[in-house]
Amino acid sequence: MKSFLVISLFALLLPRCSRGFEYWNQTKLVDDGITDVGVPHFVPITLIGSAAAKGAVCMDGSLPGYHLDKGFGSGGNSWLVQLEGGGWCNDINSCLYRKKSRRGSSYYMEKQLQFSGILSNKPEENPDFYNWNRVKIRYCDGASFLGEGYDSAAGLFFRGQRIWLVSMEELMSKGMRYADQALLTGCSAGGLAAIHHCDEFRALFPGNIRVKCLADAGMFLDAIDVAGQRTLRHFFGGVVNLQGVARNLPRACTSRILPVLCFFPQNVLSSIQTPLFLLNTAYDVWQLQESLATKAADPHGYWIDCKMNNAKCNTGQIDFLQGFRNQMLLSVRKFSLSSKNGLFINSCFAHCQSERQDTWFGSNSLLLGTGESLNLSLIGTLTVFKSS
């Protein structure tokens, strides 16, 4: 059997998807409003004291951090490492703004963070990972853990790659070096980071250790917006150039095309050797609102209603969204042919599905076919680690 179960769900919108879309409209950031059942489980932050000497610091020069909930029992030697998401900054002003928040400084980070969804410690909510060593690495660099640079005039550190390296060193010293299986994951900008760092993660472990990656909502496409421009390519270009990302992108890619294009997952998937699972929607709401139908691309507001409620999209807008969906499918077609890889792409209007309890493992999670339950936890774990 394949080590990954390859699944694609390209049907009409499922009724169960609407709740996730409403949630997005209310909060904009998935990890800002995690819903949970029962008593919430909070995990304290740990700052990496050795990071400063290595220049592995947040944008303001503060120490990077992580939250670790130790595994036990059958999961004592299994590790799940999640890279936090939270957008990017592409110019000095946006990075200075980020510098004064938890996205750019550990001074503003929560001292405790709720673990839910794929990080939950409850077997009824997260049956396959609940007793693993579960880690959330905080995101405070603004370039998906890939930057390398410093702007002395603005006092901005772009040290994402160093934060990645020192975080891995820290976790290895905390027992991850003895792992018998390990999974690297992340959502949104963290999902993009999980794709780019997947092979580096694999290289930390001996060849006989089972290591795989899961990217949730990390398939950001180099797509044309409603005005005929490439908004996200322009934005990513600023991220790559300002933060010195090019040196940390695959040379197999940057030797052929512009570095900014290699920041897009669609152009690097073919070079990743480690088994990778993609969890994404064909109608990614973040990309719709922030790269396809932005205020700049839609100055007269024709897309406002459609962006906030897909039921209000007109025929032309639906055709445009179908075109985006088709581009998403095309971008992963070759990837899906590999027996070591896997994917689950659904038709929800959402962004990130592994961090929320109701979309990860809950009574309101997705269904395949007519009544056949296939929760995202099953897809993300049994097919990742337990297939032969």
Side-chain angles (χ1 to χ4, degrees):
M1 295 176 59
K2 295 181 178 180
S3 58
F4 273 174
L5 178 62
V6 180
I7 300 173
S8 58
L9 177 60
F10 308 126
L12 297 176
L13 293 180
L14 299 177
R16 293 178 184 271
C17 296
S18 61
R19 181 177 177 185
F21 185 64
E22 292 167 359
Y23 171 83
W24 168 267
N25 290 335
Q26 293 166 1
T27 66
K28 299 291 282 184
L29 285 173
V30 169
D31 61 349
D32 280 349
I34 294 173
T35 58
D36 204 353
V37 296
V39 179
H41 179 55
F42 289 90
V43 179
I45 193 170
T46 298
L47 299 181
I48 305 175
S50 62
K54 300 176 182 179
V57 293
C58 298
M59 302 192 79
D60 68 337
S62 60
L63 294 175
Y66 64 93
H67 303 255
L68 167 61
D69 200 23
K70 295 290 291 183
F72 59 91
S74 61
N77 288 325
S78 298
W79 286 73
L80 186 155
V81 178
Q82 184 188 75
L83 302 176
E84 185 180 32
W88 311 267
C89 60
N90 68 329
D91 56 32
I92 293 297
N93 286 336
S94 62
C95 289
L96 285 174
Y97 180 83
R98 189 181 184 92
K99 174 182 175 180
K100 297 179 181 180
S101 75
R102 62 192 174 97
R103 301 301 187 200
S105 170
S106 59
Y107 293 129
Y108 298 96
M109 292 178 183
E110 303 90 334
K111 303 307 179 185
Q112 297 187 77
L113 203 64
Q114 183 180 350
F115 273 23
S116 182
I118 196 173
L119 295 176
S120 174
N121 69 330
K122 302 177 179 66
E124 66 274 17
E125 296 178 352
N126 190 27
D128 301 298
F129 291 138
Y130 75 96
N131 64 346
W132 284 34
N133 296 279
R134 287 157 290 106
V135 187
K136 190 181 191 79
I137 299 177
R138 302 307 297 268
Y139 179 37
C140 63
D141 67 276
S144 288
F145 296 89
L146 287 166
E148 178 55 58
Y150 175 65
D151 189 293
S152 57
L156 289 167
F157 294 87
F158 305 123
R159 300 291 172 77
Q161 180 68 21
R162 298 194 198 189
I163 292 174
W164 157 263
L165 292 172
V166 76
S167 297
M168 292 303 104
E169 291 175 3
E170 173 85 354
L171 295 181
M172 293 298 273
S173 72
K174 296 292 184 179
M176 194 168 72
R177 69 176 74 247
Y178 305 113
D180 51 30
Q181 57 183 353
L183 174 65
L184 177 68
T185 184
C187 161
S188 192
L192 178 64
I195 293 172
H196 280 293
H197 286 295
C198 186
D199 283 343
E200 291 179 71
F201 189 67
R202 160 74 268 187
L204 295 172
F205 304 92
N208 64 323
I209 302 302
R210 187 172 296 181
V211 181
K212 302 188 180 184
C213 306
L214 167 62
D216 180 4
M219 278 300 295
F220 296 94
L221 298 185
D222 181 23
I224 295 175
D225 64 26
V226 298
Q229 305 298 315
R230 293 188 181 271
T231 294
L232 194 55
R233 182 190 292 189
H234 177 74
F235 180 84
F236 276 174
V239 176
V240 170
N241 293 329
L242 177 65
Q243 301 200 40
V245 171
R247 70 188 69 185
N248 295 317
L249 295 172
R251 292 190 178 183
C253 183
T254 56
S255 63
R256 297 182 295 104
I257 56 179
L258 293 173
V260 62
L261 299 181
C262 298
F263 197 60
F264 286 95
Q266 66 197 80
N267 296 319
V268 299
L269 286 178
S270 61
S271 66
I272 297 173
Q273 301 300 308
T274 305
L276 172 64
F277 196 97
L278 299 178
L279 170 59
N280 229 96
T281 72
Y283 305 95
D284 186 276
V285 174
W286 187 93
Q287 293 182 71
L288 170 60
Q289 296 186 359
E290 304 297 334
S291 73
L292 297 178
T294 63
K295 290 182 179 180
D298 179 38
H300 300 293
Y302 297 134
W303 277 83
I304 292 177
D305 290 341
C306 177
K307 285 194 302 183
M308 303 310 292
N309 185 347
N310 56 292
K312 296 183 178 181
C313 298
N314 61 39
T315 301
Q317 291 168 332
I318 291 174
D319 288 342
F320 179 87
L321 294 175
Q322 284 294 96
F324 179 76
R325 165 193 178 274
N326 292 339
Q327 185 176 345
M328 176 71 73
L329 303 190
L330 182 63
S331 71
V332 299
R333 180 173 297 171
K334 184 177 179 180
F335 169 87
S336 70
L337 297 177
S338 173
S339 61
K340 69 179 176 62
N341 295 325
L343 56 88
F344 176 58
I345 297 181
N346 56 58
S347 297
C348 297
F349 279 67
H351 183 69
C352 290
Q353 300 171 86
S354 63
E355 294 184 342
R356 284 179 54 81
Q357 198 57 57
D358 55 356
T359 52
W360 176 247
F361 193 96
S363 60
N364 205 35
S365 56
L366 296 176
L367 298 177
L368 285 182
T370 56
E372 180 184 4
S373 178
L374 187 56
N375 61 73
L376 300 186
S377 181
L378 181 63
I379 295 170
T381 64
L382 295 186
T383 56
V384 170
F385 282 106
K386 297 186 178 181
S387 297
S388 58

